[in-house]
Amino acid sequence: MDGLCHMTFLCPSQAAAMHSDCILKKEEAMCLEKIERANEMMGLNESVPGCPGMWDNITCWRPAVVGQVVEVGCPELFQIVNEGGFDLADNEALESSDTGVVSRNCTEDGWSEPFPHYFDACGYDDYLEGGGNQDYYYLSVKALYTVGYSTSLVSLTTAMVILCRFRKLHCTRNFIHMNLFVSFILRAISVFIKDWILYAEQDNNHCFTSTVECKAVMVFFHYCVMSNYFWLFIEGLYLFTLLVETFFPERRYFYWYSIIGWGTPTICVTVWAVLRIHFDDNGCWDMNDNTALWWVIKGPVVGSIMINFVLFIGIIVILVQKLQSPDIGGNESSIYLRLARSTLLLIPLFGIHYTVFAFSPENVSKRERLVFELGLGSFQGFVVAVLYCFLNGEVQSEIKRKWRSWKVNRYFAVDFKHRHPSLASSGVNGGTQLSILSKSSSQIRMSSINAENLAT
């Protein structure tokens, strides 16, 4: 379940993000490869006394001669990285973890038991005791963001139907909102597709999955998430421009907004995919061990968050100046109330909450980051749809107008049915009946006018 962290660009380190079974499989494969190379260098075989290298299902032990003590650091499974492993060039050298070292003695009877035990050196006992709680925690986070994205998907789809249905709501501002809604919808869909492809089965078969379909899903996922961040940036840029410039060509600006919102993620994700193919074509591309390649995507996202935060501060300053203007009535408390309301409305639209962990070290507050960015972040689309569609005054007025119009048409249709049952029984619907009435009345009116003209 640790793969959950890849829903966001601001997730913890790769060691914490990889499924524990995948860590063991990866370490085992690397261990067997190292052992094979070490045996060749040391010339160990069945006739030469010594202890062969082995994988004890927790960590890797290099080959050793009788009487030699081998030390290893605590394995990556305990989130203690041991990049050095054993040094093939110098059998005595070992880069171990700073927080725990486990030793084995090579005897004539083979390897001794590890000392100190994993329980004492690495907190393995705590790991076993906390394993159930950890699994429950990740399942809870997954359930939370599943509900969040599902709620957002339904509300955003409804909001899109409303904004597309009513022509009077078609303007540059709402077009930008609609593009943001689409990016949220695509993000939710991509999350569900990725979960279905990678983590549908409760096993570790996905650890070494490397198919074109799987990689295409990851490319689509990163594109959707990155587009969502950039349309949040576009919202901030548009509102800031609207406040700063009195007159500006909105339609021309919208053209460039579209290029930035959809085009920039396309370029970044394409470059990232090409680099992955040539330099890090491992697995399903769901892990990002190569930090330099990952910054091709993460860099622009963090940059957009930072710029949006600056725009947010600038907009708040402008709002303060406008609210304190003598032209705007109200006492001081009402001014601050309006400012607080405006600020709360802008936070979900700009994605300002992402700045909480955007620039903090990745190993800080990992659990809190998962809950904040995955759990609460999944409801962001729902909040945006409610604030900028369902609670929008223009949208509510248009819906009320359409509702009144429908009730009036329905009233006349029912009234016509009672007054002219012969026409109603002929299969003519209400709308047709109203048109017949209007045509008949106009014809009668024209006939009376002609008659009056002839009489005169």
Side-chain angles (χ1 to χ4, degrees), residues 154-414:
V154 173
S155 59
L156 289 165
T157 303
T158 306
M160 280 294 298
V161 171
I162 293 174
L163 293 180
C164 292
R165 175 67 179 81
F166 301 121
R167 284 185 172 273
K168 287 190 175 181
L169 299 177
H170 291 182
C171 61
T172 302
R173 182 185 71 257
N174 285 336
F175 286 153
I176 294 177
H177 287 341
M178 291 164 67
N179 278 273
L180 179 64
F181 293 170
V182 170
S183 70
F184 272 115
I185 292 172
L186 291 176
R187 179 170 183 168
I189 292 174
S190 68
V191 167
F192 292 138
I193 294 176
K194 188 178 77 70
D195 276 1
W196 176 58
I197 295 295
L198 290 181
Y199 308 111
E201 300 180 2
Q202 297 299 322
D203 55 28
N204 50 27
N205 292 333
H206 69 274
C207 296
F208 300 103
T209 302
S210 182
T211 62
V212 176
E213 294 80 5
C214 180
K215 295 173 182 177
V217 167
M218 293 307 303
V219 170
F220 175 69
F221 166 74
H222 288 312
Y223 173 76
C224 294
V225 177
M226 194 174 185
S227 298
N228 184 229
Y229 279 104
F230 269 84
W231 275 105
L232 290 171
F233 164 68
I234 294 300
E235 287 281 2
L237 184 62
Y238 171 75
L239 183 55
F240 183 79
T241 306
L242 196 65
L243 292 174
V244 172
E245 296 189 18
T246 306
F247 302 101
F248 69 98
E250 291 191 0
R251 291 188 177 275
R252 187 186 306 172
Y253 273 55
F254 181 73
Y255 171 77
W256 290 107
Y257 291 155
S258 301
I259 292 178
I260 296 173
W262 299 115
T264 304
T266 302
I267 295 174
C268 294
V269 173
T270 301
V271 172
W272 175 79
V274 172
L275 293 176
R276 285 297 298 252
I277 292 174
H278 289 87
F279 300 104
D280 191 20
D281 191 13
N282 298 318
C284 189
W285 293 2
D286 58 327
M287 300 304 302
N288 297 285
D289 297 323
N290 193 322
T291 307
L293 297 185
W294 181 230
W295 273 97
V296 173
I297 290 179
K298 184 177 178 179
V301 169
V302 174
S304 69
I305 293 174
M306 182 173 61
I307 296 174
N308 235 21
F309 182 75
V310 174
L311 294 176
F312 174 77
I313 299 299
I315 291 173
I316 295 300
V317 172
I318 295 175
L319 288 178
V320 170
Q321 294 174 349
K322 288 183 177 293
L323 290 175
Q324 291 179 344
S325 173
D327 297 333
I328 299 179
N331 54 28
E332 187 175 354
S333 61
S334 65
I335 291 177
Y336 286 117
L337 185 62
R338 294 178 189 176
L339 179 61
R341 181 174 175 270
S342 302
T343 304
L344 291 176
L345 288 174
L346 291 177
I347 287 176
L349 186 66
F350 284 19
I352 299 301
H353 57 285
Y354 289 117
T355 59
V356 175
F357 293 106
F359 308 105
S360 62
E362 292 188 343
N363 59 349
V364 174
S365 304
K366 294 177 182 177
R367 289 199 168 199
E368 290 76 8
R369 293 176 72 147
L370 282 178
V371 173
F372 189 82
E373 294 174 2
L374 291 184
L376 300 182
S378 62
F379 286 93
Q380 183 183 0
F382 167 73
V383 174
V384 169
V386 170
L387 293 179
Y388 295 95
C389 180
F390 304 141
L391 297 182
N392 184 285
E394 291 179 287
V395 174
Q396 292 180 348
S397 299
E398 188 65 15
I399 292 177
K400 290 178 181 178
R401 189 184 68 82
K402 287 291 184 180
W403 173 253
R404 287 194 297 267
S405 176
W406 178 81
K407 289 180 67 176
V408 169
N409 290 337
R410 184 172 178 272
Y411 170 78
F412 281 113
V414 173

Side-chain angles (χ1 to χ4, degrees), residues 420-433 436:
H420 304 276
S422 59
L423 287 177
S425 61
S426 65
V428 181
N429 57 32
T432 306
Q433 294 165 8
I436 291 175

Side-chain angles (χ1 to χ4, degrees), residues 2 14-15 18-32 55-60 74-79 118 124 127-128 204 207-208:
D2 293 288
Q14 281 74 28
M18 186 184 286
H19 196 287
S20 58
D21 291 336
C22 294
I23 294 176
L24 290 175
K25 281 186 167 293
K26 178 182 177 181
E27 291 294 305
E28 181 180 6
M30 294 173 59
C31 175
L32 296 178
W55 167 257
D56 64 355
N57 294 325
I58 295 179
T59 191
C60 190
C74 290
E76 186 181 1
L77 182 61
F78 308 111
Q79 298 181 359
Y118 290 114
Y124 187 52
Y127 173 80
L128 289 177
N204 50 27
C207 296
F208 300 103

Side-chain angles (χ1 to χ4, degrees), residues 58 78 117-133:
I58 295 179
F78 308 111
H117 203 277
Y118 290 114
F119 293 160
D120 302 321
C122 306
Y124 187 52
D125 194 19
D126 297 335
Y127 173 80
L128 289 177
E129 291 178 358
N133 295 332

Side-chain angles (χ1 to χ4, degrees), residues 132-146:
N133 295 332
Q134 188 180 42
D135 291 341
Y136 176 77
Y137 168 77
Y138 285 124
L139 285 173
S140 300
V141 173
K142 185 176 187 296
L144 179 62
Y145 80 69
T146 300

